[in-house]
Structure formats: C-alpha cells, structure tokens
Amino acid sequence: MRRNFLFALAVVSCVLLGSCSGSMNQHLAPGNGVPMSLTIGDTPPNGVGVLFFEAMITGVSLQPSDAMKPAVSALTTPVEVEFGHLQTDTAFLSLANVAPDTYQSMTLTFGSATMTIVNHSGAPIGSCADNSVCELTPSFNPTTAAITSTPFPITISANSVVGIRLDFNVASSVQTDLSINPTVTVKHLTQRMQDEDDQEMEEVDEVDGQVTAVGTNQFTLMNERSGQSFTVTVDSTTVFEDFDRSGCTASPADFTCVKTGQVLNVDLSANGIGSMLAKRVEFEEDANRRAIKGTITSVDSTTQFHMVVFNEEPAVSGVSEGSLVAVTINPNAVFQVGREEMGEDGGFSIAGLSFASGADLMVGQDVQIRPASVASSGGTTTITTDLVRLWPSQITGQVGSIDMSSGTFTLTGLSPLFTGATPAVTTIKVVTLSEMDFMDFSGTGSLGSVAAGDTVSVKGLLFNTTGMPTLVTRTLRQNDEH
C-alpha cells in the first residue's frame, strides 16, 4: 500500500493537507530560497487489512552533495498523515524555502503511529484475535527513511519552484511483528520557473474542514486533524456541489452558498508558492453540526452497522479517529449519495444502483454520518445518526476480466476486509464513467491501458448490488507492483 505526499510523504498516491500546523494562506515570503512543496501518497499492500494508518512525520531534510554542508530542512513543523485513504489521493505536507544547490539525498523522520487492522487470517496476530478489528500503536524501527535513488542527485536552481511527490509503501513497511520499517521513494519531481505561477504543481484531494471566514472570492478552511488553516480562492471554474442541502437556492450553486461554520470537502490546485485554488467545493454539514466518516466493517442489521472512523470535522467528544464504533440508524434517517464521483454533468444513471435504506449497506463502503448522540458502554462507543451518506471508497485489487464495450472490469484479490466478511466478497464489478482519470498508467491513459492481472486502486461509490457489488469510478491508479 503506497501513499503520496506533495513535498510531503505518501502511501500509493496521496498528498496530505490537513496535517500541518500553521497557515498556508499566503505566498512565501521573499528571500533567496527556492519554494519547495512536498506531497505524499500510498499504494496499499495486496491482501493487507489495514483500515486506518496515521503517522507523525517529524522531519524532512535534504543533504547537499557537498558533504561539508549541513542538511537543509524542508518541513517547518511536524505533520500527521492518515495514509489509509491516500490510495488514489494526494496529501499536502509542507511548503518551504530551500537554498539553490545540488542535493544527493532526502531523509524523513517519523514519530508516533496508530494503525487499525482487520484480522481474518484464521489465527491471532499478536493481541488481535481472529475475525476482529483492532487498533494498534506500532513503532517505527528505524525511525528514519533515506532516499538516495532516482531522481537524486537533484539540482535546484535559483528563481525556480520545486514540487516533490513522495510514495510511502505500506506493504513493504509493515513487518510481520506489525512494527514499521518505512519504505519511501520519490514518485514525481516537478520543477518550473517562479514566474510561471499559473501552472499547477499538484492537486490536493478531499480536504475536509470547517469554514472560519468568508471574503471576496475566497474563504478560510480549518482542518481539524492538523489545526491548519487554508485560505482558498475560487474562480469561474470552481464547481459547487450539494449546497441544496444547506438551503441555498442558487441554481447552479455558486460561491454565495458558502457560509461561515459550514463543514466542506474541497479539492485544491496548488501552484507551489502558496496559492490554493478550489476546483471542487462540496457541502457536508451546516454550522454547529458534525460530520463523521468511516469505513463499514460489518452490517449487523438494517438499523445498525460498525465502522472504523477515519475523519471527523469538527472533533466529536467521545469519538477518536481510528476507533471502531457502532452506528445506530434512527427510524427517520435520510440516506444520500455524495456527488464527488458523479461529475459536473449531474452524475450517472445506472439501473439497480440504490442507496436508500439500511438494506443497501455493505462492508467496505465509506459513509458519512451526522452524530445525534454518542454513548460508551462496556468499551463500545455507539453513535446514533439521522443521516447516512455514501462516500467514495478507495479499494485496491487485481484486474480480472475486462469488457471494453461496456467500459467495465472485475476487481479481484481484494483485502481481507471483503474476503473475510459475511457473506464474503471476492469480486467487485467496476464501471468506468466519462472523464476518467487514469493515474500513473503508461500509454493512452484509457481503459485500453489496463490489462488483466494489473494491480490497481480505484476510487468510487460502492453499491450493494445483486450477484456482486458494483463500484462506479472516475479515478483509477495503476500500482507499480503489477
């Protein structure tokens, strides 16, 4: 499993935005240094039931080729990254000025980590019993990872802007004793001149946060996990989704729908020198309400399921990210489908796809809930909700059969989360939609680039359909391990 970071750290492809403290709302101060941005991502390991993996990156440094020179820091403050949902996304780690020079290597330093796994191995794994979901605190051994291979050595010239996307390979990093021996590589290096500030250095996906201020064609978003504020600009190309749920009557939705206190999900375009342009802004919750996202690990009935929490905006008392919670669905609960994977044209219409009641829930779905109450008893946290919203899942597996005429393929070799479920899920039908994003594929960047046996990560809405589940997607990433 890999995650990507933009001047950041990643596991297959993810740039983490919400893990840096401080502010990203201004251009870098003038100086002699070259702006460098870091992102990170992840490509999940085959068959590993890692549901949540959050780690602290405490340092990133570049070592000049001249051994007499000291290492140069590229991370201004420690960053907490959740790698579990960076299989197809990128997370932002840092934006810093570094001196023009030739650098021979990069070193990352790691701190604490939290990992939640599902064990369907048939035997206990350490203290985690078979057929259980367990929250662990693995240690890094060693605590550093040095990158000396391609593209190093790299020469950074004056008046340039540099973007580095890192890849954290979870499959290689997690050891049999569940300790972490970090394996990190550079996935992509981008350099351009500083006056070319209209060029995108990296996309940063699914930044959750609460609006703390609204200005002229911009708003400030506070991310709960990182405590970081982002000043986000909008323009005529920005797409606003699901704001009808907020009561906004603008049609189509526009910037006038954004209000202080709202919880939003944003896709950003970063230019590498501090500017963040919103490409997509999706409404999640009104002011004074909370949004909790999790991955379903079991469906107990049409009115209750268990999930591992991977995001909460803002923080919810009694709930922690990475924990397993029971969710009780109120009788009057509303079921909705998030629009992120549907596209700007209003989405898709495929017969048989439904998310209207508890009967449509299944293991592996990512959902957003609105907590009405939180209670703990006997070590179990139970949340009641009046909203269950289907959110895009990120799933890795091997390509089975491909039907070019219908734009579909089957996904096999799934995580134990699926294969150990009751009933077991061994195959998922993947439906590709228009405007597909084929990431890290060589060739044409189309379904024709995909071959049976390829290991891929897909991101999309997962539906509990008859025969086998169906996932509709606009995002497909090829893993190196194929």
Side-chain angles (χ1 to χ4, degrees):
M1 183 183 297
R2 297 192 310 265
R3 302 287 185 271
N4 298 328
F5 306 74
L6 174 57
F7 194 44
L9 187 63
V11 216
V12 132
S13 197
C14 45
V15 177
L16 191 63
L17 291 171
S19 296
C20 304
S21 60
S23 175
M24 279 290 298
N25 57 6
Q26 298 180 356
H27 291 277
L28 288 176
N32 296 324
V34 174
M36 173 176 284
S37 61
L38 293 179
T39 56
I40 194 164
D42 164 67
T43 301
N46 297 334
V48 174
V50 178
L51 307 181
F52 178 88
F53 180 36
E54 185 175 76
M56 182 71 74
I57 301 173
T58 59
V60 181
S61 63
L62 291 164
Q63 178 61 52
S65 294
D66 183 349
M68 301 299 292
K69 295 181 179 179
V72 176
S73 175
L75 185 66
T76 56
T77 189
V79 176
E80 194 171 56
V81 178
E82 201 281 290
F83 295 97
H85 287 78
L86 292 178
Q87 298 174 36
T88 61
D89 293 341
T90 301
F92 188 85
L93 290 187
S94 175
L95 185 63
N97 276 319
V98 299
D101 206 336
T102 297
Y103 295 93
Q104 66 178 4
S105 65
M106 173 184 287
T107 299
L108 291 89
T109 304
F110 298 88
S112 59
T114 300
M115 183 167 63
T116 305
I117 65 171
V118 58
N119 178 19
H120 288 306
S121 66
I125 299 178
S127 59
C128 186
D130 186 34
N131 294 323
S132 297
V133 174
C134 303
E135 187 174 2
L136 312 172
T137 54
S139 60
F140 279 89
N141 184 24
T143 59
T144 60
I147 307 172
T148 58
S149 58
T150 305
F152 288 98
I154 61 173
T155 298
I156 298 176
S157 58
N159 302 315
S160 66
V161 177
V162 178
I164 299 178
R165 178 153 56 102
L166 305 176
D167 182 271
F168 184 98
N169 192 313
V170 174
S172 299
S173 299
V174 178
Q175 307 301 297
T176 55
D177 62 357
L178 299 182
S179 65
I180 310 297
N181 184 346
T183 301
V184 186
T185 57
V186 173
K187 186 70 175 179
H188 193 255
L189 170 68
T190 304
Q191 297 190 60
R192 64 167 174 78
M193 299 310 295
Q194 194 164 355
D195 58 3
E196 299 171 335
D197 58 357
D198 59 338
Q199 293 188 19
E200 179 181 85
M201 292 294 287
E202 188 67 55
E203 291 184 14
V204 181
D205 308 300
E206 292 202 28
V207 182
D208 283 309
Q210 189 168 33
V211 178
T212 58
V214 178
T216 303
N217 293 325
Q218 68 178 34
F219 61 93
T220 303
L221 195 71
M222 171 65 75
N223 178 269
E224 176 66 30
R225 175 181 286 121
S226 66
Q228 182 180 7
S229 290
F230 299 91
T231 294
V232 180
T233 61
V234 301
D235 64 12
S236 59
T237 67
T238 303
V239 177
F240 297 86
E241 298 176 337
D242 273 356
F243 278 89
D244 54 323
R245 296 175 49 236
S246 72
C248 183
T249 58
S251 182
D254 56 26
F255 183 61
T256 62
C257 297
V258 176
K259 305 297 181 184
T260 300
Q262 289 174 339
V263 178
L264 305 179
N265 179 272
V266 185
D267 288 346
L268 297 172
S269 173
N271 69 355
I273 57 175
S275 177
M276 295 286 186
L277 173 67
K279 303 178 73 172
R280 181 191 63 86
V281 181
E282 184 169 357
F283 174 83
E284 291 191 349
E285 272 301 349
D286 286 311
N288 301 318
R289 286 183 169 178
R290 305 290 190 265
I292 299 176
K293 293 178 183 175
T295 300
I296 296 179
T297 58
S298 67
V299 178
D300 311 306
S301 68
T302 57
T303 59
Q304 182 170 289
F305 61 91
H306 283 75
M307 72 177 191
V308 171
V309 175
F310 64 81
N311 184 266
E312 50 181 335
E313 289 290 344
V316 178
S317 178
V319 178
S320 61
E321 294 178 357
S323 63
L324 180 68
V325 300
V327 179
T328 299
I329 305 170
N330 286 340
N332 61 345
V334 175
F335 284 75
Q336 297 176 338
V337 177
R339 296 184 185 176
E340 179 186 357
E341 294 300 301
M342 291 186 175
E344 301 175 21
D345 57 0
F348 52 85
S349 177
I350 301 176
L353 301 187
S354 172
F355 194 76
S357 72
D360 296 318
L361 296 171
M362 66 167 289
V363 168
Q365 286 174 329
D366 281 359
V367 294
Q368 172 194 330
I369 65 171
R370 176 194 298 147
S373 66
V374 178
S376 294
S377 178
T380 300
T381 298
T382 301
I383 304 173
T384 59
T385 185
D386 59 3
L387 171 69
V388 183
R389 191 163 182 246
L390 186 62
W391 200 256
S393 298
Q394 298 185 42
I395 302 171
T396 296
Q398 285 75 53
V399 176
S401 60
I402 303 173
D403 187 339
M404 297 294 295
S405 62
S406 63
T408 64
F409 64 90
T410 58
L411 194 67
T412 63
L414 303 174
S415 162
L417 173 65
F418 291 100
T419 59
T422 303
V425 176
T426 59
T427 306
I428 293 174
K429 179 182 179 180
V430 179
V431 179
T432 60
L433 302 175
S434 61
E435 302 175 3
M436 279 289 299
D437 185 7
F438 290 88
M439 307 172 69
D440 298 335
F441 280 88
S442 59
T444 60
S446 67
L447 191 57
S449 303
V450 182
D454 280 355
T455 298
V456 298
S457 296
V458 293
K459 175 184 177 182
L461 299 168
L462 181 62
F463 292 91
N464 185 13
T465 47
T466 302
M468 72 177 73
T470 300
L471 184 141
V472 291
T473 184
R474 280 193 169 89
T475 305
L476 181 65
R477 177 183 295 279
Q478 184 170 42
N479 293 357
D480 291 338
E481 299 132 355
H482 69 283

